Amino acid sequence: MKTVIFRADDPQTPKKAAEIIRSGGLVAIPTETVYGLGANAMDEAAVAKIFEAKGRPQDNPLIIHISCAAELERYCHDIPDSAYLLAERFWPGPLTMVLPVRDCIPKRTTAGLDTVAVRCPKTAVTRALIAEAGVPIAAPSANLSGKPSTTTAAHVLHDYGTDGRIDAIINGGACEVGVESTIVDLTGARPRLLRPGGVTPEELRALLGDLEIDKAVLEQISNDTVVRAPGMKYRHYAPGAEVYIVTGSSEAAAAYVRKRFTDGDAVLCFEEELPLFDGCNPTAYGKSSDVRTLSAGLFAALRALDRPEIKTIYARCPEGGGVAYAVGNRLKKAAAFRCVDAEAEL
Ligand code: TXA
Ligand code: MG
């Protein structure tokens, strides 16, 4: 069986893809963050196929995608006012909320938790698909487990091929945000950031008045630790090579890398730095002067560097809050939080 590729701008696509979802199949869906691997969230057998196709650990729950905030009550209960405030301000968009789950959502979708992560994505074709299917769509990032996320249909094809491991892909072009959604847990005494993304901590604080940052955002969590977002403990987003973040000025970082550079090394840097890393196998992922280009380009660059001959990657990482906070989090996770200070080590 072949994998069908749908065009996002074909008016028939939502209907055709919805038929596949309703009959228990897998459809890779474009969203403004990353491509997801979608199935009917209410259908245990369909959800099981997601875990199997991705090679995803069973203890890692899925985000359910809905077509509008009005659907929240069907799947969640005891919804705090803050959830409605957030939905009003940021949906459709790159924000996921963790809320108490109703029994109608199978345990396989939530990995047995009493909460569920919910998001309303911005991409029109995907929202039309959800509405047409009439069910929430469970979708993790479409990458094979442990690999960098997929931000184009070509990335999805690369991971799954066309021989029917997944039933369809909707080609919606490159994802605008490029890193996965911000996840905020609203089930505790204080709202808690489980994963930074396109909706920034500053924006959340401004609206909620308070925000705790989960430990898994800040440091490497060992595999046997219980964490709020189970997926955050895995070494994620990573190419096969060992990644090191090199901090300090562009000049200091270039001098640091030049001193150590050998065959099998590569550099992941800002566009402005390309001349400085000349001869050190540099790949740029965006402009440091425009952090949105960094988030949009990060996973494509990590994928391009995921080659057996590359053993070590020296990476340059934006600092500070806003979207840079999310880019920094993904890069640090790819590096298992290994950072070297070029200024101190020269
Ligand atoms: O942008 C996104 O969120 C993309 C697109 C496709 O929507 N999806 C995505 O899914 O990134 P995934 O499965 O790659 O990451 C979901 C994260 C995982 O770390 C998972 O452990 C966490 O969300 N998660 C899911 N349900 C949860 C829950 N009930 N409580 C806490 N964390 C949860
Ligand atoms: Mg993922």
Side-chain angles (χ1 to χ4, degrees):
M1 201 191 59
K2 295 282 280 178
T3 302
V4 183
I5 299 174
F6 294 123
R7 288 173 46 155
D9 60 2
D10 177 346
Q12 295 298 312
T13 291
K15 192 168 168 284
K16 288 183 181 161
E19 277 164 23
I20 298 175
I21 292 289
R22 272 198 307 267
S23 61
L26 297 184
V27 180
I29 52 174
T31 82
E32 75 283 20
T33 59
V34 300
Y35 276 71
L37 186 57
N40 178 356
M42 317 285 279
D43 176 346
E44 287 217 55
V47 168
K49 287 188 197 166
I50 296 179
F51 285 90
E52 197 188 322
K54 264 185 73 96
R56 183 180 177 96
Q58 298 283 342
D59 72 347
N60 197 357
L62 304 176
I63 295 174
I64 66 168
H65 297 72
I66 59 178
S67 70
C68 62
E71 290 174 17
L72 260 181
E73 264 130 82
R74 287 193 211 159
Y75 312 115
C76 304
H77 63 86
D78 291 309
I79 302 169
D81 292 343
S82 55
Y84 293 105
L85 277 176
L86 288 171
E88 168 113 346
R89 170 81 172 78
F90 298 113
W91 278 2
L95 178 74
T96 296
M97 299 189 236
V98 174
L99 293 165
V101 67
R102 288 194 190 276
D103 289 341
C104 59
I105 301 290
K107 294 274 178 240
R108 211 180 260 276
T109 304
T110 60
L113 298 177
D114 52 15
T115 58
V116 65
V118 192
R119 164 162 125 80
C120 177
K122 189 173 149 197
T123 306
V125 67
T126 294
R127 260 183 304 130
L129 159 62
I130 302 165
E132 185 78 41
V135 292
I137 294 187
S141 52
N143 55 285
L144 290 174
S145 206
K147 288 293 172 194
S149 289
T150 40
T151 53
T152 64
H155 293 161
V156 182
L157 276 174
H158 174 270
D159 282 11
Y160 297 95
T162 53
D163 62 359
R165 284 174 71 189
I166 60 179
D167 298 292
I169 301 174
I170 301 177
N171 185 356
C175 302
E176 174 193 330
V177 179
V179 295
E180 305 87 340
S181 61
T182 304
I183 305 180
V184 60
D185 182 351
L186 298 174
T187 63
R190 298 175 60 194
R192 182 191 286 246
L193 182 72
L194 301 185
R195 182 174 73 182
V199 172
T200 67
E202 295 81 357
E203 287 174 314
L204 291 174
R205 271 209 185 98
L207 200 84
L208 298 169
D210 183 27
L211 185 71
E212 244 183 306
I213 310 287
D214 197 70
K215 216 172 137 191
V217 173
L218 304 168
E219 59 189 78
Q220 180 66 45
I221 301 292
S222 71
N223 273 357
D224 46 15
T225 309
V226 177
V227 291
R228 294 270 189 114
M232 288 299 275
K233 73 187 174 199
Y234 297 107
R235 182 179 179 250
H236 246 192
Y237 319 115
E242 300 262 289
V243 182
Y244 293 88
I245 310 271
V246 184
T247 64
S249 70
S250 301
E251 291 72 22
Y256 176 91
V257 172
R258 276 186 192 289
K259 236 175 168 174
R260 290 160 182 84
F261 188 84
T262 53
D263 248 17
D265 293 352
V267 168
L268 180 64
C269 64
F270 310 131
E271 243 171 77
E272 296 92 330
E273 295 178 328
L274 280 171
L276 280 171
F277 286 105
D278 193 28
C280 295
N281 195 13
T283 298
Y285 62 109
K287 293 195 185 74
S288 69
S289 58
D290 181 0
V291 71
R292 302 241 165 216
T293 63
L294 295 174
S295 73
L298 178 65
F299 285 127
L302 284 174
R303 282 184 161 260
L305 291 172
D306 193 10
R307 298 198 302 271
E309 69 272 22
I310 297 179
K311 308 281 187 243
T312 303
I313 298 169
Y314 296 106
R316 297 284 291 155
C317 181
E319 312 226 328
V323 175
Y325 194 64
V327 175
N329 168 263
R330 300 310 192 277
L331 255 181
K332 284 174 192 150
K333 287 185 70 64
F337 289 86
R338 282 181 301 251
C339 288
V340 289
D341 177 358
E343 316 260 351
E345 306 244 347
L346 264 181

